[in-house]
């Protein structure tokens, strides 16, 4: 059974770097941004795409390796039909327009979520963009579309049961992680939610177990490079203990800096 190559934060202490390796964002507040300007809600979604470009650039410049964005939740089908259809069209148009630029910039593009309800033309576009950019290594950009954390855990369990019909009840964390939609990346170091709400809204439930959470009132279309910088600064001020005490953490840091002065690499765990 293929194990995920990434550390599970509840099983081992991951290596922590100053720049988050993986940032996951709930891009919220587009509708309110538009309403404040007496514009239709969908105008906010259009502006949201611009904020997205700024954030991708900011992540590349800072050396972030994985960026995962919540674009459409499994619950967003409950919205008015014309808004849902606008969002689908926007996804399609943005992808058509941007895919070459993503590729030129060394971005690996992936989509996670249940695509079975999507227009086959959009699914085809997604698959082609994923194939084109599969070999890129600068940044892995994942868009979560018709994604739900509970859907993800259930499809992983069902996947395991289908693969191993004779096994019951003895699956491990690693085996489950390897079946999750985002099995090709580490758990997010930093989770950002714009728009003022302080909730997870069924995003990456499994992987957010030990992520640093950052909530800002800034509405997504206003989330600029400085706002991204503030989120990362806040992340850098956190003490990521993973269950240990502050004293243990300081001891480990001392050991690591002593061994790296000797030129001997040492794992933070
Ligand atoms: C987030 O903005 C974008 C999507 C959910 C697609 P919203 O559309 O939720 O904006 P608010 O929360 O209504 O302001
Ligand atoms: C969460 O935003 C999903 C996305 C940003 C795509 P919502 O605005 O739909 O979340 P809730 O329903 O207010 O929690
Ligand atoms: Mg919202």
């Amino acid at each position: 059974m293929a194990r995920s190559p990434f550390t599970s934060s509840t099983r081992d202490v991951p290596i922590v770097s100053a720049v988050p390796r993986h940032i996951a964002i709930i891009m919220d507040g587009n509708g309110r941004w538009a309403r404040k300007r007496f514009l239709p809600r969908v105008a906010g979604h259009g502006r949201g795409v611009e904020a997205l470009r700024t954030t991708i650039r900011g992540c590349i410049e800072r050396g972030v390796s994985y960026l995962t964005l919540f674009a459409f939740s499994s619950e967003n089908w409950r919205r008015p039909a014309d808004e849902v259809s606008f969002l689908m069209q926007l996804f399609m148009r943005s992808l058509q327009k941007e895919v070459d630029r993503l590729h030129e910039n060394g971005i690996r593009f992936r989509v996670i979520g249940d695509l079975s309800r999507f227009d086959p033309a959009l699914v085809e576009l997604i698959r082609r963009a994923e194939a084109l950019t599969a070999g890129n290594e600068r940044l892995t950009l994942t868009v979560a579309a018709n994604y739900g954390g509970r859907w993800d855990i259930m499809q992983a369990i069902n996947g395991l049961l289908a693969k191993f019909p004779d096994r019951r009840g003895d699956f491990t964390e690693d085996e489950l992680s390897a079946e999750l939609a985002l099995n090709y990346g580490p758990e997010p170091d930093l989770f950002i939610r714009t728009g003022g709400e302080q909730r997870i809204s069924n995003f990456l439930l499994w992987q957010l177990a030990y992520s640093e959470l950052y909530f800002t009132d800034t509405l997504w279309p206003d989330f600029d490079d400085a706002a991204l910088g503030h989120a990362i600064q806040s992340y850098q001020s956190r003490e990521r203990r993973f269950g240990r005490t502050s004293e243990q953490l300081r001891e480990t840091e001392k050991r690591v800096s002593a061994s790296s002065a000797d030129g001997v690499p040492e794992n933070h765990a």
Side-chain angles (χ1 to χ4, degrees):
M1 150 74 53
R3 272 192 60 169
S4 164
F6 299 106
T7 309
S8 154
S9 55
T10 54
R11 286 165 49 82
D12 297 295
V13 178
I15 292 176
V16 170
S17 51
V19 173
R21 203 169 156 208
H22 182 176
I23 300 181
I25 308 182
I26 297 187
M27 311 180 289
D28 196 19
N30 294 350
R32 280 163 286 163
W33 182 93
R35 265 207 311 263
K36 264 176 45 185
R37 288 161 180 79
F38 305 102
L39 294 168
R41 289 179 51 83
V42 294
H45 298 318
R47 280 301 288 263
V49 176
E50 286 175 37
L52 194 57
R53 273 194 216 104
T54 308
T55 300
I56 294 170
R57 208 175 310 123
C59 283
I60 288 180
E61 282 166 6
R62 289 172 175 85
V64 173
S65 303
Y66 294 84
L67 174 63
T68 301
L69 303 161
F70 209 2
F72 191 88
S73 75
S74 42
E75 290 71 39
N76 285 145
W77 295 105
R78 297 171 183 155
R79 292 193 177 197
D82 56 351
E83 182 170 339
V84 170
S85 131
F86 180 92
L87 284 166
M88 293 298 156
Q89 290 296 321
L90 183 65
F91 191 10
M92 185 123 171
R93 268 187 284 125
S94 307
L95 197 52
Q96 273 165 339
K97 203 168 139 218
E98 305 288 342
V99 65
D100 289 335
R101 207 165 337 162
L102 292 176
H103 188 43
E104 281 160 22
N105 283 299
I107 296 169
R108 173 164 71 140
F109 176 77
R110 296 291 293 257
V111 173
I112 55 169
D114 179 5
L115 298 189
S116 63
R117 272 183 82 175
F118 282 15
D119 179 341
L122 177 54
V123 177
E124 171 64 19
L125 200 63
I126 290 169
R127 296 300 176 223
R128 264 197 278 143
E130 287 180 328
L132 175 73
T133 62
N136 294 337
E137 290 180 348
R138 202 159 172 208
L139 172 77
T140 297
L141 171 68
T142 300
V143 171
N146 193 19
Y147 179 86
R150 290 187 181 178
W151 164 82
D152 197 3
I153 293 169
M154 288 316 301
Q155 67 81 29
I157 293 171
N158 288 326
L160 281 175
L161 290 173
K163 269 189 196 163
F164 304 103
D166 300 333
R167 281 177 62 191
R168 285 287 182 274
D170 59 347
F171 294 115
T172 66
E173 259 190 42
D174 284 336
E175 286 174 322
L176 187 86
S177 298
E179 291 295 318
L180 292 170
L182 197 59
N183 59 1
Y184 51 86
E187 296 173 11
D189 299 295
L190 172 62
F191 160 92
I192 299 172
R193 182 171 187 144
T194 63
E197 312 295 352
Q198 303 200 354
R199 54 179 173 249
I200 305 290
S201 299
N202 198 17
F203 197 22
L204 303 162
L205 297 180
W206 179 273
Q207 294 94 335
L208 291 174
Y210 254 117
S211 307
E212 295 300 325
L213 307 181
Y214 178 83
F215 298 96
T216 172
D217 288 337
T218 302
L219 303 172
W220 175 250
D222 293 327
F223 192 81
D224 57 12
D225 193 67
L228 176 64
H230 287 140
I232 294 176
Q233 257 169 25
S234 166
Y235 168 81
Q236 289 167 339
S237 72
R238 315 277 179 97
E239 187 177 67
R240 303 192 72 192
R241 291 191 288 276
F242 297 102
R244 297 163 301 171
T245 66
S246 295
E247 291 73 20
Q248 286 174 301
L249 202 65
R250 279 196 290 274
E251 270 310 305
T252 307
E253 275 160 12
K254 256 193 267 165
R255 257 193 297 129
V256 170
S257 58
S259 64
S260 57
D262 296 341
V264 183
E266 186 187 336
N267 194 299
H268 285 220

